[in-house]
Structures are given as C-alpha cells and as structure tokens.
Amino acid sequence: MNATETGVTKANGAGARARPRLAVFKFASCDGCQLSLLDAEDELLAVTDAVELAYFVEASRHADPGPYDVALVEGSISTPEQIRQIKEVRRQARLLIAIGACATAGGIQALRNWRDVDDTVRMVYAHPEYIETLDTSSPISDHVQVDFELRGCPINKYQLLEVVTALLVGRQLRLPTYSVCVECKRHGVTCVMVAQGIACMGPATQAGCGAICPAYGRGCYGCYGPMEAPNGPALGHQFEQLGLDAPDIVRLFRSFNGYADPFRLISDKYEEVAR
Amino acid sequence: MPDLTPNIGAFASIAKEDLARVFQVLQEMGYTLLGPTRGETAIVYDEIESVGDLPIGWGDEQEAASYRLRQRDDNAYFGYTLAPQSWKRFLYPPVQKLFTLTVQDGTFEIDGNAAPAPRYALIGVRACELRAIAIQDRVFLSGNFHVPDYRARRQQAFVLAVNCTEPGNTCFCASMGAGPRVGPGFDLALTELDEIFVVEVGSELGRQVLGQTPWRPAGAFELQNARRALAEAEQHMGRQMDTSDLPDLLYRNLEHRHWDEVAQRCLSCTNCTQVCPTCFCCDVLDQPDLTGQRTDRVRVWDSCFSLAFSHVHGGNIRPHTRSRYRQWLTHKLASWIDQFGSSGCVGCGRCITWCPVGIDITAEVAAIRAEV
Ligand code: SF4
Ligand code: SF4
C-alpha cells in the first residue's frame, strides 16, 4: 500500500494543537485541483481553523515563506525553470504531496510526449521562439521524492479532508487503491460494460471519484489513473471483444493519465497494432 | 369457523392478481417491500410499493461477461433469472456505520447505531439466494461472535421465495444442490404458472399472511404443473460444476499452472466477490472529523482481490493476482467446507455474468480437473 506516516502533531485530547503549515503550489496544470480544494465549502472554515494556509495564491494574496509542514503540488513539470522550482519546494516541505493527474502522471499535456516537441510548439504558439520547454511533461515524482499522491482529474475534496485529518491525528493516510468497480458495486450501479457493452476503464482505474461516469451510463475515463494491480493487457483484450479497434483502444488508455506506465504500455502496444 | 389455512408444508393456490393482496398484508404488518424491478439496464432488487413495480413481461439474457434485458412474449411476473446483486446488499449493506466515538473529558463515549433495523419483506428470493442467506447466517450468527446489525435485519425479515423456472446460461445451482426448488427458510414460496401462483407455506408467519389473502386448495393438476416446471428448470442449467473430489482436487493442485493462466485474464477488479451472495469480507474504517474529537466507525465491503486486504505486518501475503484468484476459488469451494460445513458457492452464476472478462468458475475448476 502506498501510504505514509504523517505524524506532524498528535491529537492529545482536547488540548491545543499546533496548526500545521500548509502550502499549495502550481506547476503545469489547469488549476482544477486547487479549485477542488476550495470546493470543500462546508468544511473550509474547519480546515482553515485546523491548519495554517501559509501559501495558497489561488485562495489568498497572503503568502508566507517556508518551511511548510505540507506542500500540496498541482501540475506537471514542463519547463526547465519548473525543475528548479520543484526542487526548492521539496527543500521547504516536510511532506510533499502531489495532487491530480498532472502532478502524478504528467497530465493531458503529456500527450506531447509522443510527438516531436518543436512541432507541437510551432503548432500551438504564434511565436515559438519565446517558448522554453522541456521535451516531455512529467510527473513530480520524476524529479523529487514524493511522499504521497492524490489521484484524479481533478482530485476531490474528500482527499484533502483525509490528508488534513490524518495529519492532525497523526495517523496513516488511507485512500483506496482498488478499482472503480468497488465503488460501482457499493453504490448499486449496474456494470456498463457487462449490461451495455460499453468500454469502461473502471477495472484498471483507481477508485476515489465515487464511480460518477458509470452512474450516468458512461464508461470510466480513467481520471484516477492506474489502480494498484492494473491488468491493462486483459482489459485491452476485452475492449477488442467488445468490438473496439486499435485506435479506439489507444485513445481510451491515452488520456489524462496516459503517461502513467501501466496505461502507456498498453496504448503503445495498440499503436503498434494500428500501424 | 375453524381456520382452514394450509399448514406449514402444505400448498394453496392464489390468483395472480391476488399477489397484490399479499403485498398489502405485508405492508399493513409494517414491512418495507424489497423486490425485483426494472432499472434502466437490468432487473434489480430495490424498494417496491406494489405489484405494478414488478418487471412484468421482462426477462434477461445472461452469459459470461454479458447481461441484457429482454422483453418476453408473456406477462410473467418473475420471468427473469437473477438480479445483478443479491439480497446481501440489504441484509449486510455495503457501507454500514457501526457507531460514533466521541472524546469527552478524557474518556470515550460510544454512541451505538440507534436507528431501529428496517423490517424487510424480501420478494422473489430464489432457491440459490435462500441457500446463500443460510450460509451467511452461519458466518454471521453461529459461534461465539455475532454481527448484531445483520442479526437485527435478518431476524425480522419476511422471505417470500419464488421458485426458479427461468435458469440462465450462467446458472448451476442444480450442481451445487442449491436449487432450482427453494429449500427451507422461507415464509411463503411461490411457483408461477400461467394464471395462478402455487403457494407453499413455510412458516407460521407465512400461514398468517396467506390466511388474509383469497386462496383455495391447490389442485392436483396445478401441483403437477409446478413440479414439472421445476423438473424442466433443473434440466436447463446453462452451466454445470462437477463437485466430485472437492475440496481435495483443489488442495492437491495449489501449484497448478492453470492459476497462472487465469491470472493473465483476471483484472483483480473484485466484481466477482461483490456480486457473490455469500462473500462476506469487510474492512472497518474510522472517519474522524477535523476536530479529532469525534469519529464514525464504518464497515465497508472488502474483497480478497484488493491488495490492502492481504496486507499484514511485514508485507503482503497475496501480492499477485494468481494467489488472490486461487484464494478466492479455493475458499469458495474447498476451505469454506472446512470452515463452515458447506460449500461457499450456491451456483447462482453471478461471478460469471458480472466478471468484466467472463472468467468462469465452472470452467476454471474443469480446467484444473482436466489436467491434473
Ligand atoms: S461463487 Fe459465483 S456462482 Fe458461486 S455463489 Fe458466488 S457468485 Fe454465485
Ligand atoms: S475473476 Fe473476474 S470479476 Fe473476479 S477479480 Fe478477476 S476479473 Fe474481476
């Protein structure tokens, strides 16, 4: 299990507790994960009571320097400057938690990793000469030690609440690593793959979203990335049985978390087939 | 007037439309009705209000990794095989709060689950499902440790069983000795014929309910038709399982190469365990609030296919899908017998239908048997 002991301060009855200092940083990303943190409307006051929001520019102009007890890091590493910045964040943070598909797998922008980066830059920017970029968009863990990862595109507020409570109580962080199927079955959602023949990434994808898409009759898009023991080849084979051709299968595995190894290997394999 | 209502073990006959009266009597007795109803893509068990909620005229086609609703060419009330999930979700809910723990003046205060257990009338319980409930009773209610919330729901549940005359392509209850005719444990059991239901009385409570419904003695012809329908069903199981030499066959083959072969196909997704009416494994979680002064303790369904489930001090005892699938199958068909005195499989076929890649317990056992 990828869990970590947090233990910044122990809960000791009703006594006063030191408020852990929390910082939120952004790299190459859409800000959606940070917005999900702010989405914890009902709990936000309790959260700000319990932790000190020392650095969170999306929420407050107030920005305190480190060191921090916890740094939540959104976004992938996409430029040379970001490599320097993430190393500095790491130096300032006791615990570094990568949040969202960009920070944990490179994000949707990692689609460029399969192309020539200069081509991509010329395609997107009117003045490519102003753009300084790396060849790839890569997860935080490719560059510095990451203590824990919150998955999702975007993450949801329950993960933040779990981080904060675990931190305050000083216990293990517990988030599911099993498949989305567990959530479908718990919620009584009838399997879209079995009952409708819809290709669904759920069996290979980590739970945590509450199985939103299958509940609305859609196949899972894989927002939470590979589950603990993904069997991509077997799922790919089942997609073939459902009548999908190789390019369709490439697209399913190659999305927000497409650059995560277990998904990347499958999309690469089907791309070979498609050629 | 002497009470002429048939005794336990005796049969009556009721007109189809009088099933509505049975529902009404149960509702007057304070039961919440749970029964089959047509969802968007499947016939599921859910709360129902009246006979109109039953999937009248609808059936299903089941195969490995495939389920489709199908319109029937008659108006059968119970003309489907099995819902995707069993009664387990009501008697042993997937997420159940056990109690709330509060820290107060340096001590703990426990606030138990105060809400009274719901009084369920289970409408349409199949033979395999009734056997599965009996198996879970043994797990949860025998020996020294009982599961109180299960006991509360179970003890006050009314069981209206319906004999299965529609076995599906993934069914093999006959092989497991669990169907298609319902065994003991029901209050009333119906067999559906064209115009009437043949009703068997299974308990004093069932007799009381029947006594308040228009009934007449079952005719010899009706009884014969009901028997014939069940005999035919027994001949039409879509699957079979040779249970001879179980559990030893599996114990002798713990290193069989077929486990590796299954592991290539298995997604470790847990679906088979969650839809299985006898699988009972759970996890217990604390959900503390931000003050750290209060936590809910919650029981959730778990599965031997999840990694955390077999994570113990020092590491994981079943790190590969091969060992997880082997654990599941050998527990179900072998060590369950040592542990609880019966097989853990009732042959309902759900694990076959609802496995996204169609892994088939009957075929996997047959493969191991074929090349020992
Ligand atoms: S093992 Fe499969 S066939 Fe047997 S009772 Fe469980 S779900 Fe039904
Ligand atoms: S046997 Fe099928 S349902 Fe069970 S874990 Fe494997 S793939 Fe999932």
Side-chain angles (χ1 to χ4, degrees):
Chain A
M1 228 172 73
N2 59 348
T4 181
E5 287 296 331
T6 49
V8 169
T9 47
K10 300 269 184 215
N12 50 354
R17 294 185 285 180
R19 286 160 79 220
R21 306 188 77 224
L22 187 88
V24 183
F25 295 96
K26 172 195 155 66
F27 288 82
S29 60
C30 77
D31 289 39
C33 289
Q34 296 187 69
L35 280 176
S36 302
L37 299 178
L38 294 173
D39 201 29
E41 284 171 5
D42 296 338
E43 298 87 354
L44 211 53
L45 282 178
V47 170
T48 50
D49 260 357
V51 301
E52 180 191 340
L53 285 182
Y55 185 93
F56 188 1
V57 286
E58 177 122 347
S60 160
R61 264 182 308 172
H62 183 85
D64 286 338
Y68 311 105
D69 288 313
V70 184
L72 300 180
V73 177
E74 176 195 88
S76 66
I77 300 301
S78 178
T79 66
E81 196 200 348
Q82 288 174 336
I83 295 183
R84 286 189 296 278
Q85 287 170 338
I86 190 63
K87 291 195 167 136
E88 182 53 26
V89 168
R90 177 69 272 190
R91 265 191 293 276
Q92 295 292 334
R94 217 172 88 77
L95 282 176
L96 190 156
I97 301 180
I99 64 170
C102 302
T104 60
I108 193 72
Q109 61 272 29
L111 285 179
R112 77 156 190 254
N113 300 359
W114 279 276
R115 313 170 47 99
D116 179 77
V117 71
D118 297 327
D119 278 356
T120 311
V121 170
R122 271 195 297 277
M123 209 163 73
V124 175
Y125 297 100
H127 289 281
E129 63 276 17
Y130 294 147
I131 302 299
E132 193 191 12
T133 184
L134 296 168
D135 285 350
T136 59
S137 163
S138 51
I140 302 299
S141 60
D142 278 7
H143 305 275
V144 295
Q145 160 89 31
V146 169
D147 298 302
F148 202 80
E149 293 188 336
L150 302 184
R151 299 283 199 77
C153 186
I155 62 160
N156 66 47
K157 65 172 186 179
Y158 299 104
Q159 293 161 295
L160 170 73
L161 294 174
E162 170 63 14
V163 167
V164 174
T165 47
L167 192 65
L168 291 171
V169 179
R171 66 160 166 80
Q172 205 179 46
L173 245 165
R174 280 193 75 166
L175 287 169
T177 53
Y178 46 65
S179 72
V180 172
C181 302
V182 173
E183 295 188 318
C184 274
K185 290 296 179 286
R186 278 188 196 160
H187 298 171
V189 173
T190 300
C191 179
V192 298
M193 195 136 83
V194 170
Q196 296 181 73
I198 295 173
C200 176
M201 288 292 287
T205 300
Q206 180 167 303
C209 63
I212 306 170
C213 294
Y216 286 96
R218 308 290 298 258
C220 164
Y221 292 96
C223 304
Y224 276 59
M227 52 83 97
E228 59 195 12
N231 188 342
L235 189 60
H237 181 258
Q238 187 63 21
F239 290 167
E240 290 177 53
Q241 302 295 303
L242 295 176
L244 273 66
D245 57 18
D248 287 340
I249 299 175
V250 172
R251 277 191 289 274
L252 270 170
F253 279 92
R254 198 177 282 177
S255 66
F256 322 108
N257 288 284
Y259 202 57
D261 275 354
F263 288 178
R264 183 170 53 78
L265 293 173
I266 305 307
S267 73
D268 286 350
K269 183 188 123 188
Y270 280 96
E271 198 166 51
E272 279 292 301
V273 174
R275 270 197 205 113
Chain B
M1 259 287 277
D3 180 2
L4 298 173
T5 315
N7 284 319
I8 295 174
F11 294 88
S13 151
I14 64 171
K16 275 216 172 150
E17 59 270 21
D18 286 330
L19 186 61
R21 175 65 193 151
V22 174
F23 283 15
Q24 198 187 352
V25 172
L26 288 167
Q27 281 163 328
E28 283 163 12
M29 291 167 81
Y31 287 105
T32 299
L33 304 186
L34 297 176
T37 191
R38 190 158 68 86
E40 267 174 54
T41 57
I43 293 163
V44 298
Y45 302 149
D46 205 344
E47 231 177 279
I48 57 171
E49 297 289 336
S50 67
V51 168
D53 291 335
L54 296 176
I56 296 173
W58 286 86
D60 51 33
E61 287 297 341
Q62 304 198 24
E63 242 319 325
S66 170
Y67 174 105
R68 292 293 181 275
L69 276 175
R70 147 181 90 87
Q71 191 143 24
R72 297 173 57 91
D73 47 21
D74 62 14
N75 279 325
Y77 284 36
F78 298 95
Y80 57 90
T81 303
L82 280 177
Q85 291 201 41
S86 72
W87 307 98
K88 177 170 87 170
R89 48 181 310 110
F90 300 102
L91 297 175
Y92 184 63
V95 180
Q96 176 67 41
K97 186 169 115 184
L98 301 175
F99 54 80
T100 302
L101 198 65
T102 320
V103 184
Q104 228 152 42
D105 307 325
T107 59
F108 290 115
E109 195 131 312
I110 296 176
D111 179 7
N113 200 356
R119 265 164 76 83
Y120 288 140
L122 314 181
I123 310 292
V125 178
R126 299 297 196 194
C128 57
E129 299 182 310
L130 191 56
R131 174 68 67 86
I133 291 172
I135 290 173
Q136 288 214 320
D137 286 352
R138 226 166 294 149
V139 173
F140 295 138
L141 303 179
S142 66
N144 291 333
F145 301 101
H146 294 186
V147 176
D149 64 289
Y150 178 86
R151 183 176 52 212
R153 279 181 227 102
R154 177 70 181 101
Q155 276 176 348
Q156 52 191 16
F158 185 96
V159 176
L160 189 134
V162 177
N163 276 312
C164 181
T165 52
E166 292 284 334
N169 288 330
T170 57
C171 290
F172 56 103
C173 64
S175 300
M176 305 313 289
R181 181 175 195 268
V182 290
F186 58 86
D187 295 296
L188 289 174
L190 308 179
T191 308
E192 182 167 12
L193 300 179
D194 286 344
E195 307 291 331
I196 58 127
F197 290 113
V198 171
V199 188
E200 183 179 356
V201 178
S203 73
E204 187 48 41
L205 189 62
R207 187 169 172 272
Q208 279 172 30
V209 172
L210 180 63
Q212 298 176 62
T213 308
W215 64 272
R216 57 179 175 73
F221 191 60
E222 290 164 348
L223 286 174
Q224 197 189 348
N225 277 346
R227 264 196 303 273
R228 186 181 308 133
L230 277 171
E232 268 172 29
E234 186 158 354
Q235 298 308 312
H236 287 97
M237 296 282 143
R239 296 280 200 281
Q240 280 176 350
M241 165 111 68
D242 177 359
T243 58
S244 60
D245 197 25
L246 286 177
D248 289 344
L249 173 78
L250 296 175
Y251 289 154
R252 279 198 312 272
N253 286 289
L254 294 176
E255 301 304 330
H256 199 289
R257 62 189 153 83
H258 192 69
W259 301 119
D260 294 304
E261 197 280 322
V262 182
Q264 303 258 310
R265 288 178 279 139
C266 175
L267 305 169
S268 231
C269 64
T270 81
N271 279 306
C272 48
T273 55
Q274 311 224 28
V275 296
C276 178
T278 68
C279 275
F280 56 81
C281 288
C282 66
D283 193 4
V284 175
L285 308 168
D286 270 343
Q287 297 178 334
D289 71 3
L290 284 168
T291 66
Q293 305 301 302
R294 184 192 149 96
T295 183
D296 286 340
R297 187 155 293 180
V298 178
R299 184 187 66 215
V300 294
W301 286 357
D302 203 344
S303 167
C304 51
F305 282 92
S306 92
L307 265 183
F309 184 79
S310 42
H311 187 88
V312 297
H313 174 74
N316 198 302
I317 50 168
R318 289 191 281 272
H320 305 296
T321 299
R322 171 187 190 270
S323 48
R324 293 200 287 280
Y325 185 85
R326 182 180 64 186
Q327 160 65 24
W328 178 70
L329 188 132
T330 53
H331 187 214
K332 204 98 297 211
L333 295 173
S335 48
W336 202 295
I337 300 174
D338 304 331
Q339 196 180 0
F340 300 112
S342 77
S343 173
C345 174
V346 298
C348 73
R350 281 190 177 92
C351 56
I352 308 173
T353 300
W354 297 100
C355 170
V357 293
I359 290 176
D360 178 342
I361 187 171
T362 66
E364 311 318 331
V365 172
I368 286 171
R369 189 182 291 284
E371 18 161 346
V372 278

